[in-house]
C-alpha cells in the first residue's frame, strides 16, 4: 500500500491548509496555545502531486472564499470583453521577460532545475499578448493604441505583483502567481467560449486568447506540469509557492471584482479618456457594432 503523505502550509498565522496525497484537504485553525499542534511548525517532508494539488487549489479557494459574498456577476457584454482583452494583454506581455529574469537568478543561485523550468515556461508563454491584440483588432478596436494607453484598474496590481516577484532575490513566488492565473483560466469551458462567440458579430473570431487560456488550450497542461514541478521542490519552496498562490488569488479576486462592478458606460468612459479618442468602431466588413448599445460578453 502506498505510504500516506501529509503536507501543510500556514497561510496567514491563523489558518493552515493541510492536504494528503489521497486528495483530502482541510483547513486548520492555529490557536498557538494549549496542546501540542503537529502542524504548528513548517512541513519538512517530500511532496506528492496529490497533496500539492490540495495545497495550491486550497490556497485559491481560501482566497476566493473571503470575497465570495461581494463577487459581482454582471451579464457579459462586448465592452466588458474588450476590457478583459486589454487586461489579458497586460498580464501576458511581460511574462516571458519576467520569467527569464527569474530563471537567470536561479541559475546564479545554483538551481539549474528551477531555471530550466522557468525558461521552458517563458518559451510557452511567448506571443500570448499577440493573441489578445488580434482579438481586439478583430473587434475593430485599435488594439495597439488601446493597450498603450489603457490598463484596467483591477489588473494593475496583479501586473506589479508579478514584476516584483520575478525581481526578488529568491523569486520562487512567481510560480505561485503563474499557477493561480493558469488554474483559474483552465476552469473555462467550451460553453464560456460559445457565449463570447454569440456576442461577437457573425464571422468574427475574437476568442484566440480565450481558447488558448481555457480547458481547451494549453493551460490545462501548464497546470499539470506546474503541479508536478512544485511537488518535486524542497519543502521551503513549496511553502513559499503555496503562500504566493494565496496572495495572488486575493489580488485576482479583488481585481476581477473591481471591473465587474462598473457599468458599460463607465468602462467605455475609462477607455475613451485614456485613449483620448472615442469608441465605438466598426468591425471590418460586418455591420458596425456599436459598443455603446451592446448588452454585456467576458475573456
Ligand atoms: Fe498564457
Ligand atoms: Fe499558460
Amino acid at each position: 500500500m502506498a505510504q500516506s503523505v501529509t503536507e501543510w502550509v500556514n497561510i496567514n498565522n491563523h489558518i493552515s491548509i493541510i492536504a494528503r496525497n489521497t486528495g483530502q484537504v482541510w483547513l486548520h485553525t492555529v490557536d498557538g496555545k494549549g496542546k501540542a499542534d503537529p502542524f504548528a511548525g513548517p512541513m519538512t517532508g517530500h511532496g506528492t502531486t496529490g497533496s500539492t494539488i490540495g495545497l495550491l487549489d486550497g490556497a485559491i479557494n481560501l482566497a476566493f472564499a473571503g470575497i465570495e459574498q461581494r463577487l459581482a456577476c454582471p451579464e457579459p457584454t462586448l465592452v466588458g470583453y474588450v476590457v478583459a482583452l486589454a487586461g489579458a494583454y497586460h498580464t501576458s506581455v511581460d511574462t516571458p521577460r519576467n520569467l527569464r529574469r527569474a530563471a537567470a537568478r536561479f541559475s546564479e543561485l545554483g538551481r539549474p532545475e528551477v531555471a530550466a523550468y522557468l525558461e521552458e515556461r517563458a518559451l510557452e508563454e511567448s506571443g500570448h499578448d499577440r493573441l489578445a491584440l488580434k482579438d481586439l483588432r478583430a473587434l475593430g478596436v485599435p488594439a495597439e493604441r488601446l493597450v498603450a494607453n489603457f490598463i484596467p484598474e483591477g489588473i494593475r496590481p496583479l501586473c506589479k505583483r508579478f514584476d516584483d516577484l520575478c525581481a526578488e532575490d529568491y523569486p520562487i513566488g512567481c510560480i505561485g502567481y503563474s499557477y493561480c492565473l493558469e488554474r483559474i483560466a483552465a476552469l473555462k469551458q467550451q460553453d464560456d467560449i460559445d457565449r463570447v462567440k454569440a456576442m461577437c458579430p457573425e464571422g468574427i473570431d475574437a476568442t484566440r486568447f480565450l481558447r488558448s487560456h481555457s480547458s481547451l488550450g494549453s493551460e490545462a497542461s501548464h497546470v499539470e506540469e506546474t503541479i508536478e514541478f512544485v511537488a518535486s521542490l524542497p519543502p521551503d519552496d513549496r511553502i513559499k509557492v503555496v503562500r504566493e498562490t494565496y496572495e495572488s488569488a486575493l489580488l485576482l479576486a479583488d481585481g476581477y471584482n473591481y471591473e465587474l462592478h462598473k457599468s458599460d458606460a463607465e468602462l467605455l468612459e475609462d477607455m475613451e479618456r485614456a485613449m483620448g479618442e472615442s469608441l465605438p468602431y466598426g468591425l471590418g466588413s460586418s455591420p458596425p457594432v456599436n459598443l455603446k448599445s451592446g448588452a454585456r460578453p467576458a475573456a
Side-chain angles (χ1 to χ4, degrees):
M1 203 172 93
Q3 205 196 341
S4 166
V5 171
T6 305
E7 292 193 66
W8 65 94
V9 174
N10 178 240
I11 293 291
N12 58 12
N13 290 326
H14 304 296
I15 294 181
S16 293
I17 303 171
I18 305 174
R20 290 219 169 105
N21 57 330
T22 51
Q24 285 171 281
V25 186
W26 69 99
L27 296 176
H28 173 73
T29 306
V30 183
D31 69 8
K33 51 186 187 251
K35 48 192 182 310
D37 180 348
F39 305 110
M43 64 179 175
T44 54
H46 70 272
T48 69
T49 53
S51 41
T52 298
I53 294 170
L55 291 179
L56 292 171
D57 288 357
I60 293 174
N61 289 335
L62 183 62
F64 271 83
I67 201 173
E68 218 154 30
Q69 311 290 333
R70 294 183 291 123
L71 269 182
C73 300
E75 276 298 301
T77 66
L78 208 48
V79 175
Y81 187 59
V82 167
V83 170
L85 283 172
Y89 168 84
H90 286 290
T91 55
S92 48
V93 64
D94 292 327
T95 302
R97 181 176 54 84
N98 273 331
L99 288 174
R100 286 197 178 100
R101 179 180 184 157
R105 181 64 189 140
F106 277 109
S107 287
E108 283 171 14
L109 291 167
R111 297 285 302 278
E113 80 290 4
V114 185
Y117 165 80
L118 293 172
E119 284 284 355
E120 197 184 318
R121 304 315 316 279
L123 207 63
E124 286 168 352
E125 294 300 325
S126 296
H128 286 189
D129 53 319
R130 290 201 295 277
L131 298 176
L133 290 177
K134 280 184 181 170
D135 288 339
L136 285 167
R137 265 185 236 126
L139 289 168
V141 173
E144 281 78 7
R145 287 208 298 284
L146 177 66
V147 299
N149 293 291
F150 172 74
I151 172 165
E153 271 309 305
I155 291 294
R156 199 184 291 274
L158 264 183
C159 294
K160 179 171 176 357
R161 182 91 186 175
F162 192 52
D163 288 352
D164 291 349
L165 286 169
C166 291
E168 283 184 354
D169 281 346
Y170 193 75
I172 199 81
C174 70
I175 298 175
Y177 172 100
S178 299
Y179 180 83
C180 174
L181 264 67
E182 295 191 315
R183 180 72 179 91
I184 288 172
L187 293 173
K188 293 185 179 133
Q189 305 291 321
Q190 182 69 52
D191 276 6
D192 299 293
I193 295 160
D194 291 344
R195 220 167 291 137
V196 171
K197 278 185 176 160
M199 271 187 329
C200 295
E202 186 109 10
I204 298 282
D205 176 15
T207 60
R208 295 168 185 84
F209 187 93
L210 184 56
R211 285 199 310 269
S212 154
H213 296 80
S214 73
S215 61
L216 281 73
S218 49
E219 291 303 57
S221 61
H222 292 176
V223 165
E224 271 174 38
E225 286 158 20
T226 299
I227 289 164
E228 269 174 40
F229 182 71
V230 172
S232 75
L233 289 170
D236 280 359
D237 286 348
R238 301 202 306 277
I239 291 170
K240 290 188 178 96
V241 169
V242 171
R243 284 183 179 156
E244 185 48 46
T245 302
Y246 173 75
E247 294 298 333
S248 296
L250 282 179
L251 277 183
L252 189 73
D254 244 352
Y256 272 169
N257 221 22
Y258 187 90
E259 311 299 341
L260 291 173
H261 269 120
K262 291 190 174 185
S263 67
D264 271 9
E266 287 169 314
L267 293 174
L268 262 178
E269 200 188 318
D270 286 353
M271 289 190 282
E272 289 178 341
R273 198 184 318 111
M275 293 172 76
E277 57 185 288
S278 62
L279 296 165
Y281 295 89
L283 293 173
S285 55
S286 309
V289 163
N290 187 340
L291 291 178
K292 282 173 177 160
S293 69
R296 255 183 186 237

